[in-house]
């Protein structure tokens, strides 16, 4: 199952939300998850999980400078047709033992070239991901990236990251409402003091409140994100008490992770039933 994390605006926390929710998901559920991006960026999932890129971050993934390391090497190998069915295992890095994996970036290929080759190979990439993990989470860039349209079309579920800015909300529901049938919404930096509460958003726009999940701002998590210690932060606070300053944030992340996984399980059951009806 392929899940795209996406936003119509830059400041809505796509990468930070994906990082937190991916960790919370594998703490509770026994699935194997692979995370990756369809774009190159220095502030990527690798920096959230592991800290800023180090010399050894993509050691033993990729083969040379031309291919690049991690995701660049994988894309280039698929693009050139020189890959086997088990190629993915040579390009992933384990984040949480046997459950959470990431395809790191080597930052050695121009981003436009990477985007072109990613888009060219995208369906083969998804086939490899589906064979290697139950769930793949794609940090999906804005619509100006060539492959984004294809990722959103191919995704089984789209986690749309928004905020309580009325301009961003209006833009999404006006220009991207076609995504709603297979979308759940995250409201980043959520504040109960804002006029645009979940209840009001659901009244203003055609979306059920059950498909909207608040993710409040948390300064301590923000520090962990910049230090590359998201995994440690989520593990340490996962069972925090009501007195913890991180309680509201953690509970919100856990609810969003639960909603995402349960929706994925529902979609998988529907797929299985359809295949059975077709006699496959």
């Amino acid at each position: 199952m392929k899940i795209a994390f996406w936003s119509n605006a830059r400041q809505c926390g796509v990468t930070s939300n994906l990082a937190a929710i991916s960790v919370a998901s594998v703490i509770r559920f026994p699935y194997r998850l692979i995370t990756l991006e369809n774009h190159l960026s220095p502030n990527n999932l690798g920096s959230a999980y592991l800290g800023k890129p180090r010399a050894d971050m993509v050691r033993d993934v990729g083969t040379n400078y031309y291919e690049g390391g991690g995701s660049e090497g994988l894309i280039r190998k698929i693009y050139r047709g020189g890959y086997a069915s088990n190629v993915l295992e040579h390009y992933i890095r384990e984040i949480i033992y046997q459950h959470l994996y990431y395809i790191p970036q080597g930052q050695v290929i121009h981003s436009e070239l990477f985007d072109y080759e990613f888009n060219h190979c995208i369906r083969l990439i998804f086939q490899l991901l589906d064979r290697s993990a139950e769930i793949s989470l794609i940090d999906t860039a804005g619509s100006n990236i060539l492959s984004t349209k294809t990722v959103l079309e191919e995704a089984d579920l789209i986690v749309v990251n928004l905020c309580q800015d009325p301009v961003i909300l209006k833009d999404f529901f006006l220009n991207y409402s076609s995504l709603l049938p297979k979308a759940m919404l995250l409201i980043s930096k959520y504040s109960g003091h804002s006029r645009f509460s979940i209840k009001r958003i659901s009244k203003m726009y055609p979306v059920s409140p059950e498909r909207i999940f608040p993710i409040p701002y948390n300064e301590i998590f923000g520090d962990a994100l910049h230090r590359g210690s998201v995994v440690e932060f989520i593990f340490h606070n996962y069972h925090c008490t009501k007195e913890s300053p991180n309680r509201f944030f953690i509970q919100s992340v856990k609810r969003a992770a639960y909603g995402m996984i349960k929706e994925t399980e529902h979609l998988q059951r529907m797929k299985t039933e359809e295949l059975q009806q077709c006699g496959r």
Side-chain angles (χ1 to χ4, degrees), residues 132-145:
S132 300
E134 288 93 348
I135 299 171
S136 299
L137 306 180
I138 305 105
D139 181 332
T140 308
S143 55
N144 60 321
I145 299 295

Side-chain angles (χ1 to χ4, degrees), residues 9-272:
R10 289 189 176 184
Q11 64 266 40
C12 293
V14 173
T15 301
S16 59
N17 288 340
L18 193 162
I21 289 170
S22 64
V23 176
S25 296
V26 299
I27 291 175
R28 176 162 187 175
F29 295 95
Y31 297 119
R32 177 180 165 103
L33 273 65
I34 295 178
T35 64
L36 70 156
E37 294 98 353
N38 77 325
H39 59 287
L40 301 179
S41 170
N43 297 313
N44 53 38
L45 290 167
S47 67
Y49 293 138
L50 303 162
K52 293 297 181 181
R54 302 183 299 272
D56 65 342
M57 184 172 172
V58 291
R59 184 178 58 196
D60 299 328
V61 286
T63 57
N64 57 45
Y65 185 88
Y66 172 71
E67 285 190 343
S71 57
E72 297 101 311
L74 174 64
I75 299 307
R76 182 139 290 190
K77 183 158 284 191
I78 295 171
Y79 182 74
R80 298 190 322 193
Y83 70 95
S85 59
N86 65 341
V87 66
L88 195 59
E89 65 187 58
H90 301 294
Y91 290 88
I92 60 176
R93 177 153 183 166
E94 190 172 67
I95 303 300
I96 297 175
Y97 180 64
Q98 293 188 343
H99 286 293
L100 181 60
Y101 297 83
Y102 171 61
I103 304 177
Q105 300 179 4
Q107 300 291 322
V108 299
I109 292 177
H110 194 280
S111 59
E112 290 184 3
L113 178 59
F114 174 81
D115 181 38
Y116 172 79
E117 294 185 355
F118 188 100
N119 190 63
H120 182 82
C121 305
I122 195 166
R123 288 178 176 84
L124 287 173
I125 296 166
F126 284 161
Q127 288 176 19
L128 293 170
L129 291 169
D130 286 340
R131 292 177 196 152
S132 300
E134 288 93 348
I135 299 171
S136 299
L137 306 180
I138 305 105
D139 181 332
T140 308
S143 55
N144 60 321
I145 299 295
L146 184 66
S147 61
T148 289
K149 183 175 183 292
T150 310
V151 172
L152 296 178
E153 289 173 351
E154 294 288 323
D156 299 289
L157 175 67
I158 301 172
V159 179
V160 178
N161 296 255
L162 301 170
C163 64
Q164 291 168 298
D165 184 328
V167 175
I168 292 173
L169 291 168
K170 183 178 180 180
D171 176 68
F172 171 72
F173 286 101
L174 180 65
N175 297 309
Y176 301 99
S177 59
S178 61
L179 301 179
L180 283 173
K182 60 176 183 178
M184 59 178 275
L185 310 185
L186 304 183
I187 308 298
S188 298
K189 301 179 182 178
Y190 186 82
S191 170
H193 301 295
S194 170
R195 292 191 305 116
F196 292 91
S197 65
I198 287 176
K199 185 176 181 180
R200 185 174 183 200
I201 292 170
S202 67
K203 285 184 175 180
M204 291 177 64
Y205 300 107
V207 58
S208 166
E210 286 76 25
R211 296 188 71 82
I212 309 176
F213 297 84
I215 304 291
Y217 175 72
N218 182 282
E219 186 175 355
I220 304 173
F221 172 74
D223 290 341
L225 181 72
H226 290 301
R227 292 197 310 271
S229 56
V230 164
V231 175
E232 293 82 356
F233 176 87
I234 299 296
F235 265 97
H236 179 73
N237 290 281
Y238 192 82
H239 296 293
C240 64
T241 64
K242 293 180 180 179
E243 292 74 28
S244 171
N246 300 315
R247 174 77 172 185
F248 183 34
F249 176 80
I250 287 292
Q251 290 299 103
S252 298
V253 169
K254 288 164 69 172
R255 282 194 293 270
Y258 181 85
M260 181 187 77
I261 295 296
K262 286 301 176 182
E263 179 64 17
T264 304
E265 290 176 342
H266 171 69
L267 293 170
Q268 184 59 60
R269 285 194 298 271
M270 290 179 60
K271 274 191 175 183
T272 302

